[in-house]
Amino acid sequence: IKGTGKNSWQIFEENVEKRTFNDYELEQDLYFAVENNELDVYLQPIMKKDSPQTSYAEALVRWKHPVHGLIPPSAFIPIAEQSGFIHQIDEFVFKRTCEIIQRWKMDYQIDLTVSNNVSPKRFLRHSFITNVKNTLNHFQVDARNIIFEITETTLIHDPEIVHKTINDFRKLGIRFALDDFGTGYSSISHVSMFNIDFLKIDRQFIQDIHLNKRNQAILKGITNFTSELNIPMIAEGIETAEELEFLQKLNCAYFQGYYFSKPCDLETFKEFMLG
Ligand code: C2E
Ligand code: CA
Ligand code: CA
Ligand code: CA
């Protein structure tokens, strides 16, 4: 990726290395982060096989801390989940997402589809679906333009309720991706039991896939049942042409990773999309 995207990432990584954060302090600051407008939504394009262009991206939250600079989600999402702020954060990201989709439709006549990460806590909250409906209505966004990324932690929590919730959302038109597949509790039965539209293969299997026979075997196994079930696979964390080339032969439908673009601010994303 060009220009600003790369620079801002370098600052980001330096911060991660240099600073150690006090969780308690972060929790206090997080309380004000939404109100003080310190959160931002970055977008990372997701490419479709054999297509040079895309209208699909994943939304990833960023926190510009007034003192510590950019703090990566891995440092504050767990704290947010513990303290309950995750609702505010995910809601903020969803609103911004809808706002962006509406904007792009009006300004560029581009029909963006955007994935949002949904934390297990938020998913299980009763008000979640009403909340989502209200925001979709407010921004006049079609539910087909939204994909919720959930992990297997969500699925195993309360399978019956989760099953029903997924189906209620799917009736609205929202689709689901099972994120980080291959890590944690992964099981094939989850994928067939719940109505999942996409499967995201975790980066740990993608890294050096062209060299790693063991991961190749695992991925071939996953491909066998996903093609049987007609569920497209998204490979995440692709960094090299070699990885991409191998995955293209494996019947992967979508590709995401630094090889194409890092997650970037709206301005940089616009440049990537519109040239
Ligand atoms: P995730 O959902 O698995 O997101 C993918 C992560 O991989 C992102 O990290 C992304 O920047 C990174 N990534 C993408 N391509 C590459 C690549 O080619 N190489 C490498 N090394 N990394 C790549 P990020 O943005 O730091 O987010 C980390 C995690 O934080 C996410 O993992 C997700 O679990 C969580 N998260 C991020 N935004 C949100 C949000 O709005 N809500 C919730 N609940 N969680 C979020
Ligand atoms: Ca994700
Ligand atoms: Ca993931
Ligand atoms: Ca992950």
Side-chain angles (χ1 to χ4, degrees), residues 1 19 22 41 48 66 78 85 94 98 106 110 145 200 209 220 226 228:
I1 190 163
R19 302 180 198 277
N22 174 325
V41 172
K48 195 175 179 165
F85 289 129
F94 184 62
C98 289
M106 289 196 316
I110 290 178
N145 292 31
K200 291 191 86 165
I209 181 71
K220 272 175 194 149
T226 52
E228 195 99 347

Side-chain angles (χ1 to χ4, degrees), residues 111-251:
D111 204 22
L112 274 187
T113 300
V114 180
S115 271
N116 270 22
N117 294 287
V118 180
S119 115
K121 263 201 183 159
R122 175 161 163 78
F123 192 85
L124 291 165
R125 211 183 220 193
H126 291 300
S127 56
F128 183 36
I129 193 157
T130 322
N131 244 309
V132 167
K133 272 191 207 163
N134 288 341
T135 304
L136 287 174
N137 280 337
H138 182 265
F139 292 100
Q140 300 197 298
V141 163
D142 189 337
R144 289 296 295 175
N145 292 31
I146 302 292
I147 295 170
F148 283 151
E149 298 195 2
I150 55 173
T151 62
E152 290 177 308
T153 312
T154 300
L155 296 186
I156 60 165
H157 203 279
D158 196 335
E160 269 166 50
I161 291 183
V162 171
H163 195 270
K164 187 185 176 301
T165 309
I166 289 181
N167 283 341
D168 287 348
F169 273 116
R170 290 181 98 249
K171 273 181 222 149
L172 274 185
I174 286 180
R175 288 170 292 168
F176 284 85
L178 190 54
D179 203 357
D180 298 343
F181 192 77
T183 64
Y185 306 95
S186 292
S187 93
I188 295 173
S189 68
H190 282 151
V191 181
S192 52
M193 207 157 68
F194 298 92
N195 283 313
I196 298 292
D197 303 276
F198 304 90
L199 197 72
K200 291 191 86 165
I201 310 294
D202 195 75
R203 168 155 193 269
Q204 91 180 57
F205 298 100
I206 305 302
Q207 202 170 10
D208 291 329
I209 181 71
H210 54 293
L211 305 173
N212 188 324
K213 292 270 183 283
R214 188 176 164 271
N215 284 348
Q216 287 173 17
I218 293 171
L219 270 200
K220 272 175 194 149
I222 298 175
T223 319
N224 283 345
F225 79 80
T226 52
S227 57
E228 195 99 347
L229 296 170
N230 235 327
I231 298 172
M233 283 205 298
I234 304 170
E236 60 179 359
I238 299 170
E239 292 186 353
T240 69
E242 290 80 9
E243 291 165 354
L244 176 64
E245 198 188 336
F246 191 92
L247 291 160
Q248 272 166 335
K249 283 185 265 174
L250 255 190
N251 236 348

